[in-house]
Amino acid sequence: MSLQGKRWLSGIAVGSILSGLFIQPVLAGTNLTSAKVYDFDSQVQLEPVKQKSRLAKIGDVMVPMDILKTGSSAWAKLLFNEGTLFRIHANAKFFFVPNTRSFQLKHGLVLSMIQPGQGITTVITPTAKIVAFGTALTVRHDSTKNTTIVSALTEKPGRPIFVSNDNGAGQIRLKAGEQVEIKDNVVGPVQSFSLPAFYQACPMSRVLAPEQEQLVALEPTEVQTPLLVIREETAEAVASQSVTPASSSTELTKLCAPVAELPEEKKQRPNSGPRIGIGGCIPFLTCGTGRPNPRVPGQRP
């Protein structure tokens, strides 16, 4: 089947990535229709569609085109309708559009925890494309340096993580305990890191570390179920890392720290990110200050 015939990937240029999968992309998965804010820490605002921004509350349900903003010392945890979990760091703006499993990370840091069986999930930054089939990973993009760093925390046969630049070139496959930097659209060499050292240095990821069951118990019951599934895979990844690479705790701590706040002029540039899919700025952190335009392809603006 040609890529042109795979209508559900229309508008997302991941052809070169998918060509390496040797998997028929019929696994469309469950679309993201809502996300519940189940935990957060200070300076988190929610801006529902056609409404004024307000302080977020525990239990708020985001729907497509709602905007979630985190301040300079804030974080937020989201539970999506099909069990996907996101932990969003500071200085972020998050929104999503209907009928997709694609996110855009314009600036910021996120921990993504995707249960197996949900189909292809795509994270796109201005300099990189990441395709995952249910796994745990962190994606960090610093737009002031035009740099994306992707770190893989799990690895299962048939559910890989593929990374390329924003044009689909330089494609590589990440295994658990591997990370890659894409700077100015150039994919760098794959580097190994110690998974135990990573969890020690990254508080937002520690819930996935071995012997941290007490942290799972602190989460809501509906969150514990997907967390336990992902934790089985992260535990396997730690156990299978027979040779632990030397990792600088300073570098890992720096990697997991919040991305610096964008200059105000960049924050206020509407829809400055690349347009993908249905004609809007498909969602993720700081993807312009305005909401994407959800018009249907071919429809006049």
Side-chain angles (χ1 to χ4, degrees):
M1 180 184 296
S2 67
L3 288 176
Q4 293 179 348
K6 298 162 186 172
R7 302 281 181 164
W8 59 279
L9 282 175
S10 176
I12 302 177
V14 295
S16 62
I17 296 176
L18 290 175
S19 65
L21 297 180
F22 301 103
I23 298 174
Q24 289 293 334
V26 295
L27 302 175
T30 306
N31 288 330
L32 305 176
T33 60
S34 64
K36 183 165 74 173
V37 181
Y38 74 88
D39 199 5
F40 65 87
D41 178 34
S42 74
Q43 299 180 11
V44 177
Q45 292 187 318
L46 181 64
E47 185 178 332
V49 177
K50 297 182 180 180
Q51 298 182 37
K52 292 183 179 180
S53 179
R54 61 171 174 79
L55 291 176
K57 304 187 299 293
I58 298 296
D60 275 338
V61 176
M62 296 178 61
V63 298
M65 307 306 177
D66 287 354
I67 294 176
L68 183 76
K69 302 176 183 178
T70 56
S72 59
S73 61
W75 48 261
K77 299 179 183 179
L78 302 179
L79 170 64
F80 280 84
N81 55 286
E82 35 67 87
T84 290
L85 300 170
F86 278 102
R87 296 194 171 187
I88 301 171
H89 243 306
N91 300 323
K93 178 178 288 183
F94 170 78
F95 48 86
F96 62 102
V97 296
N99 304 318
T100 74
R101 291 193 62 81
S102 294
F103 303 90
Q104 186 180 76
L105 175 60
K106 185 65 181 292
H107 184 79
L109 171 65
V110 63
L111 167 64
S112 174
M113 294 170 280
I114 310 161
Q115 291 189 93
Q118 298 301 333
I120 298 175
T121 301
T122 307
V123 181
I124 301 174
T125 78
T127 192
K129 293 176 183 174
I130 304 98
V131 174
F133 284 78
T135 190
L137 68 155
T138 63
V139 181
R140 177 188 182 90
H141 181 74
D142 187 339
S143 61
T144 65
K145 300 177 181 178
N146 200 28
T147 298
T148 299
I149 301 176
V150 184
S151 305
L153 305 180
T154 57
E155 174 189 355
K156 297 292 286 185
R159 289 193 275 112
I161 301 172
F162 281 87
V163 182
S164 70
N165 72 6
D166 70 331
N167 294 317
Q171 175 188 318
I172 57 94
R173 177 173 179 168
L174 285 184
K175 299 178 181 179
E178 293 184 343
Q179 64 186 29
V180 65
E181 180 180 67
I182 305 92
K183 182 175 178 61
D184 297 329
N185 293 334
V186 177
V187 180
V190 174
Q191 298 181 333
S192 299
F193 64 92
S194 165
L195 286 167
F198 180 88
Y199 290 124
Q200 186 65 33
C202 298
M204 79 171 187
S205 303
R206 202 163 294 162
V207 69
L208 298 178
E211 300 179 0
Q212 293 295 329
E213 292 80 5
Q214 72 278 8
L215 297 181
V216 179
L218 297 176
E219 299 287 340
T221 302
E222 60 188 340
V223 173
Q224 292 182 28
T225 300
L227 264 180
L228 289 173
V229 173
I230 297 295
R231 275 181 52 83
E232 288 183 9
E233 299 195 356
T234 55
E236 289 178 11
V238 171
S240 64
Q241 195 173 39
S242 54
V243 178
T244 303
S247 299
S248 165
S249 59
T250 301
E251 285 301 313
L252 287 175
T253 301
K254 183 179 178 181
L255 176 68
C256 298
V259 176
E261 186 176 9
L262 277 172
E264 195 62 27
E265 62 271 20
K266 290 187 178 180
K267 283 187 170 182
Q268 295 182 353
R269 188 177 304 158
N271 292 334
S272 58
R275 293 176 178 270
I276 304 164
I278 63 173
C281 184
I282 286 186
F284 211 61
L285 311 181
T286 55
C287 186
T289 56
R291 291 182 175 87
N293 180 1
R295 66 180 182 271
V296 175
Q299 178 182 344
R300 283 191 169 185

